[in-house]
Amino acid sequence: MFSKEQILKQYFGYTGFREGQEALIDHIVHGDDVLGIMPTGAGKSLCFQVPAMLSDGITIVVSPLISLMKDQVQSLVANGIPAAYINSSLSVNQTHKAIENARNGRYKIIYVAPERLDVDDFVSFARSAGITMVTVDEAHCVSQWGQDFRPSYLKITEFIDKLPKRPVISAFTATATREVKEDIVKILRLNRPFIAATGFDRENLYFEVQKPKDKYRAVIDYLKRNPDKSGIIYCATRKAVEQVCEDLQNDRYNATRYHAGLSESERAANQDDFLYDRKTIMVATNAFGMGIDKSNVNFVIHYNMPKNIESYYQEAGRAGRDGTNADCVLLYGGQDVITNQFLIDHTSEQNDLDSETLELIKEKERERLKQVTYYCHTMDCLRSYILRYFGDQSSNYCGNCSNCRQNFETVDILDDSKKILSCICRMRERYGIQMLIDTLRGSRNERIQTLHLDQLSTYGIMKEVPQSRIREIIQYLVLNEYILLTNTEFPVAKLGAKYKELLNSDQPILMKVMTKLEREQKEAKSGNLKAKQYYGEIDQQLFTKLKALRFQIAEESRVPSFVVFSDATLLDMCRKKPTEKDGLLAVSGVGEVKFQRYGERFLKIISEHGAAAAGAALPASADSAPSVEEICESVRRSFVPSEKAVPVSILADMLNSLLLQKGDYKITAIKLANFFMEKGLLQMETAEGRNNRVATALGKEHGIVTVEKTNSAGNTYRQNFYHRQAQQYAANHIEEWIGGA
């Protein structure tokens, strides 16, 4: 009989448990119900997967999304754990086969959709099987007060009641306020559960709020500063997803899209493109991502403000799941509030809820919208704001958010605040913020004059104050309850509960405002810092070789690269550079099963790299730094094409491994693909509504092959592979793009 420590190392490749994991596992093994509240990336899955392997029976995992089940099962099977999923993506025959295998004891863990729990065939199987645990993943979905309530989750307790013996119930979520936590315990009827809340902080995530005039330009600026990084861009509406994705593709970024308006087959194909790194950017609504276990998501950009902090933190938490540094950027615009209010009023219908309950839910959603709006305007630490929202104590400085990295000064806004409140009073609390600002600044627009607002005594009393500063002060007054904004499609500014207190006060009202910084210098410094934090003191050339091998194995196994090994595991290999089995097993994320499958191949790469490095010539001194021409010639001379055809991302890595030895030059996969386009070796082709680069006749002559493949969902897609001739062609023409790299 294995111990929990042996299971952890043998199947998952880890030598120690993270905070909260061991206690949850011990209580489950002893037969206790548990509730684990742990941030995304904290290892919730291990808390029920390890005890599942220690039990004699079957663990049923109730999961809300097909994509979540698919990823989890792929990873479990890759680790040598017998697992399966049963959901609507399977045919009738496949479902019967899965249930038959389960009856025969072929699986230890079975993921099911909540809708499956009242299907006679599955219930019949469950009653005769030895089910020792039912795990509820994304448990907040059971609560009407949660941000992602799913009525189908209410079937869970009915299903458990049908079983001949009550199993252990374990529930897990990444986001739960006190109210939602109490709901989970009550609705799932957890029996005196052990509750572990490990805190919500994700120290590797950088948080930033921007208020750009042009959101798309802000996205492009970010992508230019972070080339070759994989990330998600969340938009509030399908229309915005379509527009942003189309614009990115037109600007030759490797982007795809996901929203509920697409066919199921296209959603599956696009999701696979992202998971398998064929597309580096996913533009999506919040329909995408729950449970997506892609470890190398380097950034999450919210193109629009989400409806609540819970959704924001859950979606942002899809970045940096492997513990490496990642960015979470929210692009705020005033229209976002109006859009979200509309969505709350018109798209949160639950057919099986009575009108009174539905209105209570909407009222709660409006309150959550107010809290996330405050987040976008606070000058305090962004991380601290989020943690306090979830009930965690935190200092007001983290050093890893845009507010903590900015320089602020404190100003007294008492006089300006009184002017604003007086104007609201004289406008009889009938108008929105923009009309208020226009009146205060003395605008001559037609509507101001038609409504005779230019005749008020407060008209033009702040004409010397910039509009942006007035808006900042108004938001501060809203945050501090001096102004109330109505929860309507077009919010109206009214006097808040504390307005009299301010009007009658002579005490200063102090507000932090941002000072002007040299943005370019700041961005350059930030970029260098992130690169150092992300890579540390590692061998970049070895990292490139390991990524290439990982991609090759993933292609052979038809699984995403992160299922083989995460970036964090490859980085640990680069730091430790093991040359024998025990050394590789000491790398975080390498277990016995994965070592048996492909450990020797990684050891071979590391050993060969070490031998090559030992025999390499000493680098040139600083006084004799090579010229661009010398670097190009060195790359052409040193470049050794791969015997196997490779995708553009690996080709870029191969070239960069040589460039980084000679100087501070780098080529991105996007720029390399564009180079082949400019040379006429690739062309853009639209098929089934998707834009793809495909090989031209000239490209085929130079060794580029466009391959049509089929993903695990049965959908076809196209991918370009570059044979030896095409690889050498890129190296031979390196001087044409190195100057702008």
Side-chain angles (χ1 to χ4, degrees):
M1 182 70 177
F2 281 126
S3 67
K4 62 177 183 288
E5 291 83 6
Q6 289 171 321
I7 293 287
L8 184 69
K9 183 56 187 173
Q10 175 87 3
Y11 292 99
F12 300 99
Y14 301 116
T15 56
F17 291 102
R18 298 185 191 177
E19 181 185 358
Q21 287 180 329
E22 190 169 14
L24 285 162
I25 290 169
D26 286 343
H27 277 275
I28 291 173
V29 170
H30 284 98
D32 300 330
D33 289 352
V34 303
L35 170 58
I37 305 171
M38 308 163 76
T40 304
K44 294 186 292 295
S45 297
L46 281 178
C47 296
F48 59 83
Q49 290 170 352
V50 170
M53 292 297 291
L54 290 170
S55 75
D56 294 328
I58 296 171
T59 291
I60 299 292
V61 182
V62 182
S63 180
L65 288 180
I66 291 172
S67 58
L68 182 148
M69 304 181 204
K70 180 180 173 184
D71 286 348
Q72 292 277 5
V73 169
Q74 275 187 327
S75 295
L76 287 170
V77 172
N79 285 330
I81 297 173
Y85 59 81
I86 300 175
N87 56 44
S88 60
S89 71
L90 302 181
S91 67
V92 173
N93 288 337
Q94 287 173 324
T95 300
H96 287 324
K97 183 65 175 176
I99 291 178
E100 181 184 344
N101 288 339
R103 289 185 195 276
N104 294 330
R106 294 276 300 276
Y107 308 126
K108 291 295 294 180
I109 302 175
I110 302 174
Y111 283 75
V112 298
E115 293 79 10
R116 182 67 49 178
L117 298 179
D118 59 357
V119 175
D120 291 341
D121 210 21
F122 185 78
V123 173
S124 175
F125 150 72
R127 287 178 58 84
S128 62
I131 295 175
T132 53
M133 179 165 64
V134 171
T135 295
V136 183
D137 206 3
E138 309 291 349
H140 60 273
C141 294
V142 79
S143 173
Q144 292 182 359
W145 311 119
Q147 82 280 5
D148 197 24
F149 172 56
R150 292 172 183 255
S152 59
Y153 260 54
L154 300 177
K155 300 176 182 179
I156 295 173
T157 51
E158 297 175 16
F159 168 75
I160 293 171
D161 288 341
K162 295 174 184 176
L163 300 177
K165 181 181 179 182
R166 184 186 185 276
V168 171
I169 312 299
S170 58
F172 297 90
T173 181
T175 54
T177 59
R178 179 185 56 79
E179 189 176 42
V180 171
K181 180 177 71 174
E182 292 172 355
D183 243 7
I184 292 171
V185 173
K186 178 181 178 182
I187 294 171
L188 292 179
R189 302 205 300 260
L190 300 183
N191 183 19
R192 290 182 293 180
F194 170 73
I195 299 176
T198 61
F200 293 89
D201 195 9
R202 295 277 306 282
E203 293 182 357
N204 61 314
L205 299 184
Y206 166 79
F207 292 97
E208 180 170 350
V209 174
Q210 296 181 20
K211 301 174 185 176
K213 293 181 180 178
D214 185 338
K215 290 188 176 184
Y216 183 72
R217 175 48 51 192
V219 169
I220 294 299
D221 289 344
Y222 179 88
L223 295 178
K224 286 180 177 178
R225 297 195 305 272
N226 297 274
D228 281 353
K229 295 295 179 66
S230 178
I232 306 170
I233 301 175
Y234 279 109
C235 300
T237 64
R238 300 176 188 179
K239 181 179 179 181
V241 167
E242 295 286 347
Q243 187 64 60
V244 172
C245 186
E246 181 182 349
D247 289 345
L248 286 172
Q249 290 173 344
N250 289 339
D251 286 332
R252 298 184 176 180
Y253 283 94
N254 202 15
T256 189
R257 60 184 179 165
Y258 191 105
H259 60 70
L262 303 176
S263 66
E264 185 174 332
S265 61
E266 184 176 353
R267 288 200 304 273
N270 292 352
Q271 177 169 292
D272 274 358
D273 280 347
F274 182 64
L275 291 177
Y276 285 76
D277 294 324
R278 295 187 289 265
K279 303 288 185 181
T280 56
I281 301 170
M282 171 62 78
V283 187
T285 61
N286 61 5
F288 175 80
M290 182 181 286
I292 293 296
D293 197 24
K294 182 177 169 69
S295 64
N296 63 329
V297 175
N298 306 122
F299 66 85
V300 170
I301 296 175
H302 278 79
Y303 201 80
N304 305 104
M305 182 187 74
K307 290 191 294 185
N308 51 65
I309 292 290
E310 291 94 334
S311 294
Y312 175 66
Y313 201 49
Q314 185 178 59
E315 290 157 11
R318 285 160 195 156
R321 289 177 66 98
D322 61 358
T324 55
N325 292 287
D327 295 330
C328 306
V329 181
L330 196 162
L331 307 179
Y332 173 82
Q335 183 64 34
D336 294 341
V337 179
I338 297 172
T339 300
N340 279 316
Q341 286 176 333
F342 178 85
L343 292 174
I344 289 171
D345 291 337
H346 295 87
T347 62
S348 61
E349 302 295 332
Q350 303 285 354
N351 294 330
D352 48 358
L353 296 179
D354 61 81
S355 58
E356 183 178 359
T357 302
L358 182 59
E359 189 51 45
L360 286 172
I361 291 174
K362 289 183 177 182
E363 183 179 331
K364 184 68 176 179
E365 288 180 344
R366 294 186 191 104
E367 178 59 33
R368 289 198 189 98
L369 177 60
K370 187 187 299 182
Q371 295 299 323
V372 75
T373 305
Y374 292 168
Y375 170 81
C376 293
H377 293 289
T378 184
M379 295 297 182
D380 292 333
C381 171
L382 296 177
R383 186 185 311 277
S384 176
Y385 185 100
I386 293 171
L387 296 179
R388 287 199 306 269
Y389 179 85
F390 289 114
D392 273 11
Q393 297 300 315
S394 173
S395 66
N396 201 28
Y397 179 83
C398 72
N400 196 29
C401 75
S402 55
N403 282 0
C404 287
R405 291 188 180 181
Q406 294 283 5
N407 289 327
F408 291 97
E409 60 182 351
T410 303
V411 297
D412 182 6
I413 59 168
L414 178 63
D415 289 341
D416 286 342
S417 298
K418 288 184 176 182
K419 292 174 183 177
I420 292 169
L421 293 177
S422 297
C423 193
I424 293 173
C425 182
R426 284 163 176 73
M427 295 173 77
R428 300 189 179 182
E429 303 177 273
R430 293 179 178 176
Y431 304 102
I433 289 178
Q434 191 57 56
M435 286 290 284
L436 173 61
I437 293 173
D438 287 346
T439 302
L440 288 164
R441 298 191 76 242
S443 170
R444 301 295 298 171
N445 71 49
E446 183 178 350
R447 190 145 187 259
I448 292 285
Q449 297 181 59
T450 300
L451 295 170
H452 306 297
L453 297 178
D454 56 340
Q455 298 177 17
L456 299 178
S457 60
T458 50
Y459 176 76
I461 59 173
M462 296 182 72
K463 60 184 178 182
E464 302 299 328
V465 182
Q467 181 174 170
S468 59
R469 175 56 60 86
I470 297 177
R471 191 175 293 276
E472 284 180 0
I473 297 173
I474 290 173
Q475 292 297 342
Y476 177 89
L477 296 175
V478 171
L479 283 168
N480 289 277
E481 300 180 19
Y482 299 114
I483 293 176
L484 170 68
L485 294 180
T486 59
N487 286 322
T488 54
E489 184 174 353
F490 300 101
V492 173
K494 292 183 174 292
L495 297 171
K498 296 166 57 179
Y499 86 97
K500 288 183 180 178
E501 176 185 320
L502 189 150
L503 287 175
N504 296 326
S505 174
D506 292 324
Q507 297 299 314
I509 301 291
L510 301 179
M511 183 182 81
K512 289 166 60 178
V513 296
M514 191 184 304
T515 60
K516 291 184 178 180
L517 298 173
E518 297 181 17
R519 179 162 291 276
E520 291 183 2
Q521 180 179 350
K522 174 197 165 192
E523 288 171 353
K525 181 178 179 181
S526 175
N528 291 336
L529 176 62
K530 287 177 190 172
K532 185 174 180 182
Q533 288 175 332
Y534 185 81
Y535 291 112
E537 300 299 326
I538 69 156
D539 186 327
Q540 179 62 43
Q541 189 180 10
L542 176 58
F543 185 52
T544 296
K545 292 177 180 178
L546 295 177
K547 284 173 63 180
L549 175 59
R550 179 181 65 178
F551 179 85
Q552 182 181 333
I553 293 172
E555 286 286 290
E556 294 168 0
S557 307
R558 297 186 65 189
V559 297
S561 294
F562 64 82
V563 171
V564 179
F565 285 127
S566 70
D567 279 4
T569 296
L570 297 188
L571 289 168
D572 202 29
M573 286 186 199
C574 292
R575 295 185 192 99
K576 294 175 179 174
K577 295 183 179 176
T579 56
E580 38 75 40
K581 178 179 178 179
D582 288 345
L584 189 57
L585 286 174
V587 169
S588 178
V590 181
E592 184 67 37
V593 173
K594 286 191 175 180
F595 177 83
Q596 294 299 330
R597 287 183 175 171
Y598 23 74
E600 294 293 347
R601 295 168 72 176
F602 280 91
L603 286 176
K604 182 181 178 183
I605 291 290
I606 296 168
S607 297
E608 290 177 349
H609 175 77
L618 292 173
S621 66
D623 294 333
S624 58
S627 65
V628 171
E629 291 77 13
E630 290 172 328
I631 290 174
C632 293
E633 181 56 34
S634 175
V635 170
R636 280 192 290 268
R637 188 172 59 252
S638 306
F639 183 74
V640 178
S642 169
E643 292 296 330
K644 294 181 176 291
V646 298
V648 69
S649 59
I650 299 299
L651 178 53
D653 282 344
M654 291 166 63
L655 293 164
N656 285 332
S657 68
L658 296 173
L659 284 171
L660 290 168
Q661 295 179 60
K662 303 297 180 182
D664 194 22
Y665 294 102
K666 187 180 180 184
I667 180 65
T668 67
I670 293 171
K671 196 161 188 177
L672 189 52
N674 290 343
F675 161 75
F676 284 114
M677 292 271 292
E678 292 163 3
K679 290 296 183 181
L681 277 65
L682 294 177
Q683 65 183 6
M684 195 68 76
E685 181 182 275
T686 302
E688 299 180 355
R690 304 175 72 190
N691 292 325
N692 296 288
R693 292 185 177 92
V694 298
T696 62
L698 181 62
K700 293 174 183 177
E701 291 177 12
H702 283 79
I704 303 177
V705 177
T706 302
V707 178
E708 189 169 274
K709 294 189 169 187
T710 304
N711 62 23
S712 56
N715 301 305
T716 59
Y717 63 91
R718 292 180 175 182
Q719 185 173 13
N720 294 315
F721 285 87
Y722 300 79
H723 288 270
R724 288 177 58 91
Q725 187 181 352
Q727 297 169 33
Q728 192 65 58
Y729 182 90
N732 290 344
H733 290 77
I734 196 165
E735 71 280 352
E736 297 188 29
W737 40 259
I738 187 174

